[in-house]
Amino acid sequence: MTEILEAPTRTGREPRPVGTVLVTGAASGLGRALARAVAAAGGRPLLVDRVAVDAGPELGDALSVVTDLADGRASEQAIRELVTAAGGLDAVVTAAGTDSCGALGDVAADDWEKVVRVNLLGTAAVIRAALPALKANRGRIVTVASTLGLRALPDASAYCASKFGVVGMTRALATELAGEVGVTLLVPGGMDTAFFDGRPDQYKPGPDAQLNDPAEVADAVLYALTRPEGCEVREMVVCASTESSWP
């Protein structure tokens, strides 16, 4: 006799609306893909970058601000003003990032430290500025680490230090904010963006490298942002199936 399996019972709970989402690094790459995904899903993106962001009609009623995350205090002020102008906030995605490749002794100290200031301290500054508005709406945070926040490579000490720090900070925040603000750690692999432009060839992906489409990663972020109340995606790795830095 053939056993008949019943379909799993659905909870019937509706996904959380996307709402107003602040995205750093919104001028290009993953940040731009996230802004598009938020707008396409009916949300309102708030765009943060160190250069002016051309919102265009595809991003609807987006607001934007120019600030350099290497200056944490100035960025906090800019973000508070942006959130006030938007009338509130439902989520933050910290997609901005930078790198300075090379052996520790070969990378200028200012360049090395800027990577940490932008990637780690800048992430903390953004969250700090947004936290009151996020708590008011029981909002959500998605931090963007990297597979190099879990696995170290040579000539990447600044980037690894910053992204390992993002991993640790995010895990601590998930505990600290449990029940108040949802926290998700995103660990993306290499993406097909301008992130690798301008590097020496030795620090670029090889000609056969398979890089992920940032739009695919943005879709995964939207999934995390829209889980029903009480359900959270704590951590997720999104990468090409042949990603060499994972696991």
Side-chain angles (χ1 to χ4, degrees):
M1 182 176 67
T2 302
E3 181 181 3
I4 299 176
L5 300 178
E6 295 183 1
T9 303
R10 297 182 61 86
T11 64
R13 294 193 298 160
E14 293 296 321
R16 177 188 174 100
V18 176
T20 300
V21 182
L22 187 148
V23 180
T24 67
S28 62
L30 176 59
R32 186 68 177 187
L34 283 163
R36 290 191 184 108
V38 167
R44 184 187 197 187
L46 304 184
L47 315 172
V48 178
D49 208 295
R50 63 184 179 85
V51 298
V53 182
D54 179 14
E58 67 177 356
L59 299 185
D61 59 349
L63 299 178
S64 65
V65 70
V66 175
T67 187
D68 187 348
L69 293 184
D71 185 340
R73 303 297 77 75
S75 293
E76 286 179 26
Q77 181 62 29
I79 286 166
R80 283 192 290 265
E81 292 174 359
L82 181 62
V83 171
T84 298
L89 189 65
D90 296 293
V92 165
V93 186
T94 59
T98 189
D99 195 6
S100 188
C101 302
L104 178 63
D106 296 335
V107 178
D110 287 346
D111 295 338
W112 198 99
E113 291 171 7
K114 182 177 180 180
V115 175
V116 177
R117 286 199 303 272
V118 172
N119 295 357
L120 175 57
L121 302 183
T123 294
V126 170
I127 294 171
R128 185 182 296 113
L131 205 49
L134 291 173
K135 286 184 175 181
N137 286 341
R138 298 182 66 87
R140 294 189 170 176
I141 297 166
V142 178
T143 61
V144 180
S146 167
T147 49
L148 297 193
L150 302 174
R151 176 186 177 185
L153 291 179
D155 292 354
S157 60
Y159 194 73
C160 286
S162 67
K163 294 300 187 177
F164 269 74
V166 169
V167 170
M169 181 184 70
T170 305
R171 289 174 175 172
L173 280 176
T175 300
E176 179 180 319
L177 298 174
E180 294 184 275
V181 177
V183 178
T184 297
L185 172 66
L186 170 66
V187 180
M191 289 177 281
D192 186 11
T193 71
F195 188 70
F196 302 106
D197 292 356
R199 297 185 182 195
D201 288 345
Q202 70 189 99
Y203 299 129
K204 292 182 179 180
D208 297 328
Q210 299 295 314
L211 299 175
N212 225 15
D213 183 342
E216 299 290 347
V217 183
D219 282 347
V221 172
L222 275 191
Y223 177 82
L225 292 179
T226 56
R227 291 312 83 211
E229 296 293 342
C231 175
E232 294 178 21
V233 179
R234 286 297 193 199
E235 300 188 5
M236 56 183 175
V237 178
V238 185
C239 60
S241 59
T242 56
E243 173 64 54
S244 60
S245 64
W246 174 261

